[in-house]
Amino acid sequence: DYAIHMLDLQGHVSTWNEGARRLWGYTSEEIMGSDFSVFFTPEDLASRMPDRSLRIAESKGRYASEGWRLAKGRKMFWAETVISPIRDAKGVHTGFARITRDLTEKKKAEDALRETQLRLQIAQDIARISTWTWDPKLDQVEVTDNWRKNLGELPERQKMSFDQWVESIHPNDRSRVQDTVRSGMTSGTPYQVTFRTMRADSTECHMRAWGQPYVDSAGRVIKITGVTQDITDQVLAGKAMADAKPRREA
């Protein structure tokens, strides 16, 4: 939804139309001649945003912003606003044109997506899960920060070649992991594999990875996406229970 209206040099509403009425809720009789600061929140008024926006529009030729605005009845909506100076045939500045677009639904969708991503990140942190994607054509493996965190490293590099990724695997497990990945590449079917890596502090880390190949219309694998989980605590707990069993039986 768009609304276009004009302001005089002092920021008073000088024109109003049906689109503006639908967006802002005011009739022409209610709003004509009013200072356009009526559309701003108390926080924006305190920072003198209405005056500042007109000054910037006049000096720069355009002012654009996004933020909460107030319609009639103090109803808030997320608005994208562009203000441009109006000049007559002689170049004399006579007022401003103000275009407003209601982006509330877009804002809600973006906020919901960020919240979902945050919840997913929290869940992955707790479960010590990282996600990754391998593009065989580019020979590029892209991992999330949690891959480095699980290895006790700073997440400085998120992209690497497949061989570089393999180098992070324990030497005794590399060939088995490579064979499993190649089998998934050849068959285009999901796979699961466990392996060891070495953390930055030289302690052994146990991982379980799930891979899902994606194929094109010709049946060629174009990428593999998957997750890797740090299962070190589970493995160590299992070993501890196994070691304690003979002692209990004795």
Side-chain angles (χ1 to χ4, degrees):
D1 292 335
Y2 290 87
I4 303 175
H5 63 270
M6 308 300 178
L7 305 173
D8 63 19
L9 293 174
Q10 289 72 44
H12 299 113
V13 177
S14 57
T15 69
W16 201 250
N17 56 31
E18 181 59 23
R21 185 198 65 78
R22 287 196 304 268
L23 182 61
W24 295 102
Y26 294 99
T27 65
S28 178
E29 292 76 13
E30 292 173 319
I31 201 66
M32 284 291 290
S34 297
D35 192 298
F36 87 120
S37 61
V38 70
F39 304 128
F40 290 82
T41 64
E43 292 78 12
D44 289 337
L45 293 177
S47 66
R48 301 184 62 82
M49 181 178 286
D51 293 337
R52 190 169 69 252
S53 64
L54 295 185
R55 289 199 304 271
I56 293 174
E58 182 179 4
S59 62
K60 303 294 185 180
R62 185 176 185 270
Y63 174 82
S65 68
E66 282 192 23
W68 292 109
R69 297 293 179 264
L70 294 179
K72 184 178 179 180
R74 311 291 290 178
K75 178 183 177 182
M76 296 182 67
F77 68 97
W78 188 262
E80 176 187 58
T81 303
V82 176
I83 301 176
S84 302
I86 300 174
R87 301 184 186 279
D88 63 17
K90 296 181 179 181
V92 177
H93 183 203
T94 60
F96 300 90
R98 186 168 183 256
I99 303 174
T100 304
R101 182 184 178 192
D102 185 354
L103 297 182
T104 304
E105 293 307 314
K106 178 185 176 183
K107 171 70 171 173
K108 288 180 179 179
E110 291 174 347
D111 288 347
L113 177 60
R114 279 193 291 270
E115 183 176 352
T116 298
Q117 291 173 334
L118 177 59
R119 290 177 177 177
L120 176 60
Q121 184 61 53
I122 292 173
Q124 289 180 344
D125 288 345
I126 293 174
R128 305 182 76 173
I129 289 175
S130 62
T131 59
W132 51 268
T133 299
W134 177 36
D135 185 330
K137 186 176 181 179
L138 298 177
D139 188 24
Q140 180 173 281
V141 180
E142 184 169 357
V143 298
T144 56
D145 287 351
N146 276 11
W147 170 259
R148 294 289 180 188
K149 291 178 182 177
N150 287 342
L151 296 181
E153 301 176 4
L154 294 176
E156 297 175 350
R157 185 179 62 182
Q158 291 184 310
K159 296 180 180 180
M160 65 193 82
S161 69
F162 181 73
D163 287 342
Q164 288 173 327
W165 179 79
V166 170
E167 288 176 3
S168 66
I169 298 174
H170 193 289
N172 293 343
D173 295 342
R174 288 175 187 171
S175 61
R176 177 171 53 81
V177 173
Q178 288 175 304
D179 289 343
T180 301
V181 175
R182 290 194 187 101
S183 177
M185 283 283 294
T186 302
S187 64
T189 57
Y191 63 84
Q192 176 179 308
V193 62
T194 58
F195 55 89
R196 292 164 294 169
T197 61
M198 298 301 292
R199 290 198 176 105
D201 61 3
S202 299
T203 58
E204 199 171 76
C205 179
H206 295 261
M207 299 286 198
R208 176 179 288 122
W210 295 264
Q212 173 64 64
Y214 290 87
V215 300
D216 60 17
S217 57
R220 296 184 295 263
V221 174
I222 56 176
K223 70 176 180 179
I224 299 180
T225 297
V227 299
T228 301
Q229 183 177 22
D230 184 343
I231 58 171
T232 304
D233 292 344
Q234 300 173 36
V235 171
L236 295 180
K239 288 182 178 180
M241 291 179 63
D243 292 342
K245 186 177 180 181
R247 292 196 295 270
R248 290 198 301 268
E249 291 176 349

